[in-house]
Amino acid sequence: MLKLLLLLTFTSICAAQNGITLSAFTVTSKSITVQWSSRPDASSYKITATPKNSPGRSVFAQFSGDSVMGSVSSLTPNTMYSLQLEAVDGALNVLSHAETGETTAPEIPSIHQAYSKHSDSITVEFTEVAGATSYILRAQSKTGDFFSEIMVSSSPGTTVKLQPYTDYKLSVMSVNSGGRSQPSDPVEARTVVMAPMLNTTSPDNGTILVTWPAVKNAVLYTLCIIRESSSSREKLNTTDTTVTFDGLEAGTTYCIKGTAWDSEGKAGDDLTVCQITRPPRPNVTFVLVSPGRSLGIDVYWAVVQGAETYVVRTTAGQNCSLTVNSHCYITPVECGQNQSVTVKAYNSAGSSEASEPVDFITYPCPLENIWVEEPVAGNCSVVWEDVPLVEHYMAFIKRDDGMEKSCNTTGTTCSFPCLCGYSYLTTVFPYNQAGSSPYAQVRNYTTIPCCPQDVTVKLVSTETLEVTWPEVKGAELYETTAAQTNDVIHCNDTAAVCALSDLRCNTAYSVTVTPCSELRGCNRTCAASTHETAPCAPEILNVTQTDNSTFTVLFTNPNNPKTNYTITAVGRYGTHACQSTNNSCQLTQLPCGSTYEVMAEATTTAGRSLPGYSKALETGPCCPMYVNVTQVTQAMTNVTWSPGSGARSYVTALTSPRGHAKCHTLDTHCQMGCITCGTNYSVDLEAISSTGHKSECKYRGFSSSACCPTSVKLYRRADNSLRVYWRSLGAWMLNHTVELSGTAADYTCVAAAGSNYCDIEEETCGDVYTVVVAPVGPNGVKVNFCQPRRYSVLCPGSNAGMVISSGRQLVG
């Protein structure tokens, strides 16, 4: 029992690992072919087909172990089967199995008949079978070079894309969801011959000519002609390839059907073409010559049947074409002519015969040459050349202010009064029995312009005169001249203004304005107007300085004696001027430190001249308002001063009998050495401009401070007091102050004038002192730049000597 359980378990595992698959390959009405996956241990396979949902027996088939495909036959058409596959070993044990389902194809249909009505198709009538969802028509040529299958839903079905007059084998298969049935028993059928390819034309409005190329395998042709919108028809048989139908209605469409017949008497395809006959001949009803700038005619005619368009032609070769209206406008046509017009109707077949010609007469031609003559000023005549076919002329004259005049004459001239400064428009229309010319040339005649009144001449610049005047009628441009310039034209312009420039100064000019027109020229009878130009500009010859604030200007005098001259000096902070009638003038009260541009102008009743070329004038720079001298050390001072207007640099000097100091700087301060103490100095300053002008400036003197004493000593006296001793310099007898600064105490004493020592009671011995001895000036101010000295003083009883230091270095 244990061995049996182990064997069953192992078999189940192998079956799970060696499962097979089953699927349908092909289906017919009575068979199903399936395919499966193989098993190495299978010795055979068994397929069982069992009907579903319908009574019937099961059918099975057995195959060898190396098979993977097999069929089950003798099945019922249009039936759903359950298919089971079993893999069996040599002991007939089932190793594994698989199932699937499939429906057999419907019954095989049968063909009742097959026939051809068109040269490229055959229609098949067949029995419809139960369960079929569609049918397949198969067509094969007997020669084997054509094969096709098409799907149809029911009977009858038609197979297409066949060749004319060719034998084919045809069969039918039914189709459902399972597949298709076997083909039915084939039948044979032949396609019919092709239809003749008809070509039609209409040689005239009552005939249609039909031609076609010969059809292969055709022995007879049948043509049937039917008029559009009519039941009347005509049929004829012929073996030719050309047929003429005559006696037809003009402008009418006819449809012609052609059929070819084979030798067996079978009719082939038919082809229908439609052809319209040419339209009937139209009739012109009315011709109207229409007015306008371009001469034309309106042609009217009666509409005819079947016409698609109409073409109108004149004997001059002009034409027009219309598709809808029954009238046409032709432009331009020649003037003064007798012509005729015809109309033809057209459709797709061609044209009709031309209508009977209708004559018409055009208007007279317009005049080509018209001109105006003025033999006497104020009396004019419009004149023209005669043209043929004219009964009379109408002349029209219109002045540019609206005045009009006309005259009717059979001659070639018409007189009218004409005034200067006006333009006249003249035109002449010729007339004949058809009326007047639709347009005429217009001639413009302008009389000579009148002279302008109220001419104004004024001076607009020193050498330019502006001339203005009111515009005059008829003047297209104005010429402005001056007699003094040899009548050179200064302006040739349409504007009523002119500028005569580049004239001579201080000269009277005679100016003439001449109005001109392009057609009549210029009126040279106009009066002149006189005006004088501005005086000539004087030139400055020299500028000399008379005193600190006065300058004399010398200049040229190029004008008449009554000319006034103005000399102007323009500076940054003000303007100074003087006037004169001769050639010199004085400018006064010019301030220091200023620069001026000096120029001269002349003035007359005509106007002012341009300023002459200017000259530069520079006054000396201003002295500073103050100078301060401050002593920095015994031998050096610091000098400062206020800026001087017009000065760029300064030279400062301190001068005394014992020596002097000087510096040159761009600044307003300067440090100066080489100063002797206790000395009176004079203070001088020289202000210098950027161009080198100098001003000498003197200021209150400066006294240097008293001299600091020398040989300053500090030592202890027998009474243990300290004495400071010095030697005075300089001639002045001055008080001196003595200051001792120690680490333990500070001492001060004052020595009277003439004394050279000072005693100080010391409170603490053995200290180091800084000693400063300075004189006190007469003003009670102590000199503060005397140098200090350092001393170390020992206490009494010490046998060490006194140590003196001067500056930063100790001396033993």
Side-chain angles (χ1 to χ4, degrees), residues 631-752:
Q631 191 160 1
V632 179
T633 67
Q634 185 169 292
M636 187 174 68
T637 60
N638 188 11
V639 184
T640 60
W641 56 91
S642 62
S645 177
R648 187 179 69 175
S649 63
Y650 306 89
V651 176
T652 307
L654 300 179
T655 307
S656 73
R658 302 177 64 181
H660 69 278
K662 182 183 290 188
C663 74
H664 190 179
T665 180
L666 297 174
D667 300 322
T668 57
H669 58 84
C670 183
Q671 283 189 341
M672 301 174 67
C674 299
I675 300 300
T676 304
C677 57
T679 304
N680 292 326
Y681 288 89
S682 64
V683 180
D684 299 319
L685 186 143
E686 190 178 62
I688 306 171
S689 71
S690 59
T691 59
H693 282 67
K694 298 180 180 180
S695 294
E696 300 292 340
C697 309
K698 292 187 176 296
Y699 299 91
R700 183 170 57 87
F702 161 72
S703 296
S704 61
S705 64
C707 299
C708 291
T710 61
S711 301
V712 176
K713 292 181 172 51
L714 174 65
Y715 57 89
R716 181 178 298 280
R717 299 178 65 199
D719 59 358
N720 292 327
S721 65
L722 297 178
R723 171 169 288 187
V724 180
Y725 175 82
W726 62 88
R727 182 180 298 165
S728 298
L729 295 179
W732 295 345
M733 299 294 288
L734 299 174
N735 295 338
H736 286 77
T737 62
V738 179
E739 295 177 353
L740 275 74
S741 298
T743 57
D746 294 333
Y747 305 98
T748 302
C749 73
V750 178

Side-chain angles (χ1 to χ4, degrees), residues 207 253 419 446 472 609 752:
T207 303
T253 300
L419 302 177
T446 302
V472 294
S609 72

Side-chain angles (χ1 to χ4, degrees), residues 330-341:
I330 297 178
T331 180
V333 297
E334 295 182 4
C335 58
Q337 298 291 322
N338 286 327
Q339 296 185 22
S340 62
V341 65

Side-chain angles (χ1 to χ4, degrees), residues 38-57:
S38 63
R39 283 182 60 115
D41 55 348
S43 61
S44 63
Y45 296 94
K46 179 180 180 182
I47 300 175
T48 303
T50 304
K52 284 186 177 182
N53 304 323
S54 62
R57 62 184 180 84

Side-chain angles (χ1 to χ4, degrees), residues 24-34 70-81 83 102-109 138 173-183:
F25 183 70
T26 59
V27 178
T28 65
S29 300
K30 295 184 179 182
S31 68
I32 297 176
T33 301
V34 294
S71 298
V72 181
S73 303
S74 302
L75 303 181
T76 303
N78 195 36
T79 301
M80 182 66 182
Y81 280 90
L83 300 171
E102 193 61 62
T103 301
T104 54
E107 288 279 1
I108 301 172
R138 178 180 291 174
M173 292 170 281
S174 58
V175 181
N176 65 4
S177 60
R180 59 170 70 177
S181 70
Q182 289 85 357

Side-chain angles (χ1 to χ4, degrees), residues 612-629:
Y613 296 121
S614 63
K615 285 188 179 294
L617 185 153
E618 181 179 356
T619 60
C622 296
C623 291
M625 295 295 294
Y626 64 87
V627 174
N628 293 327
V629 182

Side-chain angles (χ1 to χ4, degrees), residues 408-742:
N408 187 341
T409 179
T410 57
T412 58
T413 182
C414 179
S415 299
F416 63 96
C418 53
L419 302 177
C420 68
Y422 283 92
S423 293
Y424 295 86
L425 298 177
T426 61
T427 184
V428 180
F429 287 90
Y431 283 79
N432 63 12
Q433 60 181 349
S436 69
S437 173
Y439 68 94
Q441 294 182 354
V442 178
R443 289 292 181 264
N444 187 354
Y445 179 76
T446 302
T447 56
I448 191 168
C450 299
C451 291
Q453 303 298 318
D454 300 327
V455 177
T456 301
V457 183
K458 64 179 179 180
L459 186 68
V460 293
S461 69
T462 56
E463 297 174 355
T464 301
L465 295 176
E466 183 186 65
V467 186
T468 57
W469 59 92
E471 294 184 353
V472 294
K473 291 285 292 182
E476 297 175 357
L477 55 86
Y478 302 91
E479 293 180 357
T480 306
T481 59
Q484 287 71 21
T485 60
N486 298 322
D487 290 330
V488 172
I489 298 175
H490 289 265
C491 292
N492 189 355
D493 198 354
T494 57
V497 62
C498 177
L500 278 66
S501 57
D502 196 25
L503 303 179
R504 294 192 303 273
C505 56
N506 199 35
T507 304
Y509 283 88
S510 178
V511 180
T512 302
V513 178
T514 302
C516 302
S517 67
E518 184 177 356
L519 298 178
R520 296 305 311 277
C522 301
N523 190 343
R524 303 294 180 184
T525 64
C526 301
S529 301
T530 302
H531 200 282
E532 185 179 351
T533 56
C536 300
E539 297 297 332
I540 296 175
L541 300 176
N542 193 14
V543 180
T544 58
Q545 186 169 3
T546 305
D547 55 33
N548 289 339
S549 62
T550 303
F551 290 82
T552 299
V553 182
L554 184 65
F555 51 88
T556 62
N557 188 350
N559 301 296
N560 59 55
K562 296 182 179 181
T563 303
N564 291 322
Y565 296 94
T566 301
I567 309 302
T568 305
V570 179
R572 182 177 180 183
Y573 301 107
T575 301
H576 298 264
C578 63
Q579 293 184 343
S580 175
T581 57
N582 52 29
N583 60 351
S584 66
C585 184
Q586 282 192 338
L587 295 171
T588 60
Q589 298 181 352
L590 299 182
C592 63
S594 301
T595 58
Y596 293 91
E597 185 180 5
V598 183
M599 65 192 92
E601 289 184 352
T603 306
T604 64
T605 55
R608 299 178 64 183
S609 72
L610 290 172
Y613 296 121
S614 63
K615 285 188 179 294
L617 185 153
E618 181 179 356
T619 60
C622 296
C623 291
M625 295 295 294
Y626 64 87
V627 174
N628 293 327
V629 182
T630 304
Q631 191 160 1
V632 179
T633 67
Q634 185 169 292
M636 187 174 68
T637 60
N638 188 11
V639 184
T640 60
W641 56 91
S642 62
S645 177
R648 187 179 69 175
S649 63
Y650 306 89
V651 176
T652 307
L654 300 179
T655 307
S656 73
R658 302 177 64 181
H660 69 278
K662 182 183 290 188
C663 74
H664 190 179
T665 180
L666 297 174
D667 300 322
T668 57
H669 58 84
C670 183
Q671 283 189 341
M672 301 174 67
C674 299
I675 300 300
T676 304
C677 57
T679 304
N680 292 326
Y681 288 89
S682 64
V683 180
D684 299 319
L685 186 143
E686 190 178 62
I688 306 171
S689 71
S690 59
T691 59
H693 282 67
K694 298 180 180 180
S695 294
E696 300 292 340
C697 309
K698 292 187 176 296
Y699 299 91
R700 183 170 57 87
F702 161 72
S703 296
S704 61
S705 64
C707 299
C708 291
T710 61
S711 301
V712 176
K713 292 181 172 51
L714 174 65
Y715 57 89
R716 181 178 298 280
R717 299 178 65 199
D719 59 358
N720 292 327
S721 65
L722 297 178
R723 171 169 288 187
V724 180
Y725 175 82
W726 62 88
R727 182 180 298 165
S728 298
L729 295 179
W732 295 345
M733 299 294 288
L734 299 174
N735 295 338
H736 286 77
T737 62
V738 179
E739 295 177 353
L740 275 74
S741 298

